[in-house]
Amino acid sequence: MFVGGNIGTPPLAFLAELRSDDVVVLELSSFQLIDLPFSPHIVVVLSVTPDHLNWHQDFDEYQQAKTAIAAHQSPSDLVVYVTENPVAAAIAATSPARRLPVGRPDGVHVHDEALHLCSTRIIDVAEVPLPGAHNLVNIGAAIAATAALVENDPSVIRAGIQTIEPLPHRLQTIAIRQGVTWVDDSLSTTPQTTMAAMAAFDRPQVLLLGGSGPEEHPCRIVRLTLVDPGRRSARCRLPPVLEVFPQITLYYLRHR
């Protein structure tokens, strides 16, 4: 199996090694999809939220670019999509392929504290090695996409899930010092992914946050310890992320 694309390894790097029966997993960005004239046999559409709007004209163009991943499939193909995200559902609806939802009883869903594929129990939530509700969605999508490749054998799927480790810079624990766990999630590049990562932990957090863009916090470095979610700084507008997580201590580093 080969893994590449936007996740790190350019597909051209292993193109010469590919055989006709190899499985290739690619993470594709809107830049790679915008003029794609064909679609993979198996497509996974996770939550789609605004991104790269400094390059795309608007969110509609961004969504159209993403749509190319499924629009050219055939009826014998498969598209997996997250039901709670209307854009993902809309992209899946453009495909003539069989659609398998994540988040509904007719697809992969959580029931009785376990992930199920339709009526088949796959793995208990407590056994999933990645933190956060968003990772249950991610793993659910992986189950939906790969189940047919292993003849829908729940023991094989469960064994694969149990070996999963966080990818670099994605909720990756990098150190535990003096009772403090340091977690690297620097590939959370949108407010939505950052909030999903923060929701994965129920302990007090110190957030080191940086970035650039028109909606960024205007201060170079900010430290806010919030007790009251309605509290505001006289000098700095409060980022929306802190309105949701008032227990956060924030260090904000603005990139210019």
Side-chain angles (χ1 to χ4, degrees):
M1 185 175 72
F2 295 84
V3 179
N6 198 45
I7 203 169
T9 304
L12 291 177
F14 51 75
L15 183 62
E17 304 175 51
L18 292 179
R19 300 173 303 182
S20 60
D21 58 347
D22 281 328
V23 174
V24 179
V25 180
L26 298 178
E27 182 186 27
L28 299 175
S29 72
S30 60
F31 308 126
Q32 295 160 319
L33 290 169
I34 193 167
D35 56 358
L36 192 72
F38 52 84
S39 299
H41 296 302
I42 299 175
V43 166
V44 176
V45 187
L46 299 174
S47 294
V48 179
T49 57
D51 201 2
H52 305 306
L53 297 186
N54 59 336
W55 191 86
H56 292 284
Q57 290 184 356
D58 50 33
F59 183 60
D60 286 341
E61 182 186 280
Y62 178 69
Q63 180 177 340
Q64 280 300 114
K66 291 282 192 179
T67 299
I69 196 171
H72 308 293
Q73 287 187 292
S74 70
S76 61
D77 293 334
L78 172 68
V79 57
V80 175
Y81 67 99
V82 176
T83 57
E84 66 182 15
N85 184 266
V87 180
I91 291 173
T94 67
S95 173
R98 180 170 69 94
R99 294 194 284 274
L100 189 56
V102 177
R104 284 203 327 234
D106 57 335
V108 179
H109 62 287
V110 176
H111 173 68
D112 193 25
E113 295 299 315
L115 280 165
H116 289 70
L117 174 57
C118 297
S119 60
T120 302
R121 189 183 187 102
I122 301 296
I123 189 171
D124 290 350
V125 169
E127 295 181 75
V128 174
L130 299 180
H134 68 293
N135 273 323
L136 290 181
V137 174
N138 292 337
I139 289 175
I143 292 171
T146 60
L149 301 178
V150 294
E151 299 180 347
N152 296 303
D153 187 334
S155 63
V156 174
I157 300 171
R158 184 184 306 112
I161 294 171
Q162 290 171 332
T163 65
I164 292 175
E165 296 181 358
L167 294 173
H169 315 300
R170 289 175 169 89
L171 282 184
Q172 179 188 20
T173 297
I174 55 175
I176 300 176
R177 297 287 186 273
Q178 299 180 342
V180 176
T181 301
W182 294 80
V183 178
D184 176 6
D185 197 54
S186 55
L187 283 182
S188 283
T189 56
T190 67
Q192 292 83 2
T193 56
T194 299
M195 287 190 285
M198 292 162 62
F201 304 98
D202 57 7
R203 294 181 293 172
Q205 301 169 41
V206 173
L207 175 65
L208 305 181
L209 181 66
S212 62
E215 300 301 322
E216 296 294 346
H217 201 288
C219 296
R220 291 286 190 92
I221 301 176
V222 179
R223 184 181 188 277
L224 295 174
T225 304
L226 300 178
V227 178
D228 177 359
R231 175 179 170 181
R232 296 292 186 273
S233 166
R235 297 177 58 191
C236 302
R237 181 171 55 86
L238 189 65
V241 68
L242 294 183
E243 296 178 359
V244 182
F245 299 96
Q247 78 278 20
I248 300 299
T249 299
L250 168 69
Y251 290 85
Y252 185 87
L253 309 175
R254 186 177 185 183
H255 173 70
R256 285 190 170 182

